[in-house]
Amino acid sequence: MPAATASAVRLLEAAGYANVGKTNLHEFAYGTTSENEHFGNVPNPRWPGRVAGGSSGGSAAALAAGLADAALGTDSGGSIRIPAACCGIVGFKPTWGLVPIDGCFPLAPSYDHAGPMARDVATCARMMEVLAPGTEPSEVELGDVEVGLAWTELADPLVRARVEEAAERFPRRRQLELELPEGVYDSFSREVADVHRELFLEHADSYGESVRPKIEWCLAVTDTEYERAVERRRLYREQLAEAAAGVDLVLTPTLMCVAPPAPADELELRGALVKLTFPFNAAGWPAAALPCGPAEDGLPASVQLAAPPGQDALVLGAAAALERALSLD
């Protein structure tokens, strides 16, 4: 039981937001499906038989079901954007450190973010005005910004088509050659290990089957592996900034696929689901996810917009402009 209310929640309450409930999520926010053997699996209200995504799956499901108008999520490797994509809603991961995360149980502290989730960009933007004053969205016209398109070739055919069609709404666009982070994940894993080391030693048998093996892998990361990964993360941040230096925004699929069938083997699935979201956690960039049309099996594809740290207002403004353009279809 928490001893105090998280700062992000207190900020929203002080601004007049009302709590309508506490949502379920993946255990310890360490998973991509929100299938939780302690508190039950989070259903996908719009597409029964599909995962809701995770780790903030309960927040996304509550929004998709109309049970709440706004929600908070946390995101260490994609945990706001993955469930947003699976449930057909909007999620925004701010610049690392912009929204306070004290009072949130940590996963990997230098990767952890808190941020808004809603059914539209405007609601996320209003939440950000409370969570981080000064991040009011920029007034953006689609022709005002240049976007760099990346990673669509990794996506399933219809997801790729919908994301590339969304990119076509920006008159100024070009293809980017962006690398995915290699050899970085051990730094994430070591941080997870440091959070759970003592708790796991005493309560290992209480951890769920989709979390216990991951904690064991994290605890096995050596000092040498960790230090190497920290350096690779530093280099990746530089590479990402250099590769995107000529554009205002990076545009990618949020997920390579639509919401996978449930129940799922999270240990097998997670690598694919975090593949295109984790890079922006490694770099600390703000990133928004929003639906961009039907893809495989009629489920929604999701497009991701990202920009260098501090460009939260630009990302929100561009996401709002893109949402308006897509709504005209």
Side-chain angles (χ1 to χ4, degrees):
M1 297 293 291
T5 299
S7 290
V9 176
R10 289 203 308 270
L11 288 169
L12 291 168
E13 288 175 338
Y17 285 80
N19 274 308
V20 297
K22 186 174 284 191
T23 57
N24 197 3
L25 73 162
H26 209 103
E27 183 184 356
F28 285 113
Y30 195 10
T32 57
T33 63
S34 297
E35 294 177 333
N36 187 319
E37 61 194 77
H38 305 292
F39 296 101
N41 297 343
V42 176
N44 189 321
R46 290 184 177 167
W47 294 279
R50 300 290 179 136
V51 300
S55 62
S56 303
S59 290
L63 291 161
L67 302 177
D69 294 320
L72 278 170
T74 59
D75 192 314
S76 305
S79 288
I80 286 173
R81 291 157 291 154
I82 294 168
C86 289
C87 291
I89 61 141
V90 177
F92 179 64
K93 180 193 78 65
T95 295
W96 184 81
L98 183 62
V99 173
I101 58 171
D102 58 297
C104 301
F105 192 89
L107 178 58
S110 76
Y111 289 83
D112 293 350
H113 305 66
M117 304 170 73
R119 287 186 292 273
D120 55 42
V121 176
T123 304
C124 286
R126 287 194 296 272
M127 292 176 71
M128 282 301 298
E129 292 174 18
V130 175
L131 293 167
T135 55
E136 293 81 359
S138 302
E139 290 293 330
V140 175
E141 299 293 335
L142 294 179
D144 294 341
V145 292
E146 183 172 1
V147 301
L149 184 62
W151 303 333
T152 58
E153 72 282 0
L154 301 175
D156 290 346
L158 292 180
V159 171
R160 177 177 185 172
R162 297 294 88 79
V163 171
E164 290 180 348
E165 288 166 5
E168 290 172 2
R169 303 303 183 119
F170 293 90
R172 298 165 55 205
R173 63 185 182 277
R174 60 186 175 90
Q175 194 72 35
L176 284 187
E177 295 298 324
L178 287 189
E179 298 291 328
L180 291 165
E182 296 290 341
V184 170
Y185 199 76
D186 279 344
S187 67
F188 178 98
S189 299
R190 181 59 175 269
E191 292 189 23
V192 175
D194 290 342
V195 168
H196 284 268
R197 198 176 304 276
E198 293 184 9
L199 188 66
F200 191 77
L201 184 64
E202 187 174 354
H203 297 286
D205 290 343
S206 298
Y207 282 68
E209 293 300 324
S210 76
V211 175
R212 188 187 307 113
K214 290 181 290 196
I215 300 294
E216 291 171 343
W217 299 333
C218 292
L219 290 167
V221 173
T222 66
D223 290 346
T224 299
E225 290 168 334
Y226 170 66
E227 290 163 5
R228 185 186 304 122
V230 168
E231 175 61 15
R232 288 179 175 171
R233 184 185 184 189
R234 184 189 68 78
L235 292 173
Y236 182 70
R237 286 170 167 163
E238 294 178 357
Q239 291 167 357
L240 187 63
E242 182 177 349
V247 299
D248 299 300
L249 294 154
V250 174
L251 186 153
T252 79
T254 306
L255 301 180
M256 299 185 292
C257 59
V258 297
D265 186 333
E266 202 275 333
L267 297 176
E268 290 187 4
L269 190 61
R270 62 179 286 100
L273 292 187
V274 304
K275 193 177 188 73
L276 307 185
T277 55
F278 178 75
F280 300 117
N281 293 86
W285 286 28
L290 63 153
C292 60
E296 276 75 12
D297 300 320
L299 275 68
S302 178
V303 60
Q304 179 173 227
L305 293 174
Q311 296 297 314
D312 300 72
L314 173 62
V315 173
L316 286 167
L322 178 58
E323 182 182 62
R324 287 193 297 271
L326 294 171
S327 71
L328 298 176
D329 291 345

